[in-house]
Amino acid sequence: MSTADEQKRASALKALDYVEEGMVVGVGTGSTVKHFIEGLAAMKDRIEGAVSSSEQSTALLKAHGIRVLDLNAAGPLPLYVDGADECDPHNRLIKGGGAALTREKIIAEASERFVCIIDKAKEVDVLGRFPLPVEVIPMARSLVGRKIVAMGGQPVWREGVITDNGNWILDVHHLRIVDPVGLERELNQIPGVVTCGLFARRPADVVISAGEVRKNR
Ligand code: 5RP
């Protein structure tokens, strides 16, 4: 039985199969993506560069000599590779454990193919065991929290964490997410919510779990 980190690494290295000559690659955030960046570094001269989803990944990419491009300049991307905190059988995800959910969602939306790289522990039948991250404008924290309580969730402020966009994170506990698309829409409509960590409206196209391509949409 391999460790979680070995499974993450195996998934990250398998994702390199999707990288093609001359591509600009969208790059996510987290410990699984760190393995992907290390693999990408070995082929950096064959790609155009990367669009990064966080200051953390930007620093890592640059440290490996990989050119980092602005999404506005890069335009639509052929490929986005990122991890997840949970993944259901329909490739719908919870993300944002690393607080980078908003930029991650923007890049996923801008990408033709989203390859999600996970370890086995991230696979669930129903999303919601992992507390759902929601990025909020600071002045709206209490308002958004009250709305979420009315929806049956229990929001906990991730105190001390400021996102790359200057905002705060609420982690919502006790949600059993049977309608991820509906909940994503509902949460995103609350004034003050920047985005929630549900990736259901735009799920992953390919999920690689412990190095195995699990399912293509
Ligand atoms: C960051 C994320 C990450 O993809 C998620 O938290 C998984 O991280 P890791 O690969 O370290 O398990 O959504 O915002």
Side-chain angles (χ1 to χ4, degrees):
M1 182 68 175
S2 50
T3 66
D5 194 57
E6 285 165 350
Q7 293 178 14
K8 289 177 184 196
R9 185 163 184 277
S11 296
L13 298 184
K14 183 74 185 162
L16 294 169
D17 291 353
Y18 294 83
V19 179
E20 291 172 16
E21 195 85 26
M23 267 186 174
V24 175
V25 182
V27 174
T29 299
S31 56
T32 317
V33 164
K34 185 170 180 286
H35 291 299
F36 178 72
I37 292 173
E38 284 161 7
L40 201 60
M43 54 190 296
K44 66 181 174 201
D45 296 333
R46 286 186 275 137
I47 61 167
E48 181 73 23
V51 170
S52 169
S53 62
S54 64
E55 299 303 325
Q56 181 192 316
S57 289
T58 298
L60 268 174
L61 287 159
K62 287 185 174 169
H64 282 91
I66 300 169
R67 191 166 157 234
V68 178
L69 302 162
D70 179 80
L71 181 64
N72 293 308
L77 302 180
L79 177 67
Y80 178 50
V81 178
D82 196 0
D85 300 297
E86 276 188 357
C87 177
D88 82 1
H90 305 283
N91 294 359
R92 300 175 299 199
L93 314 169
I94 286 183
K95 291 185 45 53
L101 60 161
T102 299
R103 295 187 189 187
E104 292 172 341
K105 200 176 275 195
I106 292 168
I107 302 179
E109 186 71 26
S111 299
E112 195 177 320
R113 181 185 262 170
F114 175 8
V115 175
C116 183
I117 48 178
I118 56 171
D119 56 284
K120 288 277 174 206
K122 309 288 181 55
E123 295 189 40
V124 296
D125 288 330
V126 179
L127 298 172
R129 191 178 57 205
F130 190 90
L132 177 65
V134 178
E135 180 165 351
V136 296
I137 303 282
M139 73 169 284
R141 175 176 59 86
S142 296
L143 167 74
V144 173
R146 287 194 296 275
K147 298 271 186 197
I148 287 173
V149 168
M151 290 164 66
Q154 189 191 321
V156 176
W157 179 21
R158 207 185 293 179
E159 245 176 300
V161 171
I162 298 174
T163 70
D164 288 345
N165 312 307
N167 298 315
W168 292 347
I169 299 284
L170 293 176
D171 292 306
V172 184
H173 296 249
H174 303 315
L175 288 174
R176 194 169 180 275
I177 306 172
V178 286
D179 175 14
V181 174
L183 184 63
E184 181 177 3
R185 191 185 311 118
E186 198 179 345
L187 284 169
N188 286 346
Q189 278 171 358
I190 301 172
V193 168
V194 180
T195 199
C196 74
L198 274 169
F199 285 54
R201 199 187 54 77
R202 199 280 180 252
D205 300 303
V206 177
V207 172
I208 306 174
S209 181
E212 299 286 328
V213 177
R214 200 187 68 168
K215 184 176 155 208
N216 290 340
R217 281 175 66 237

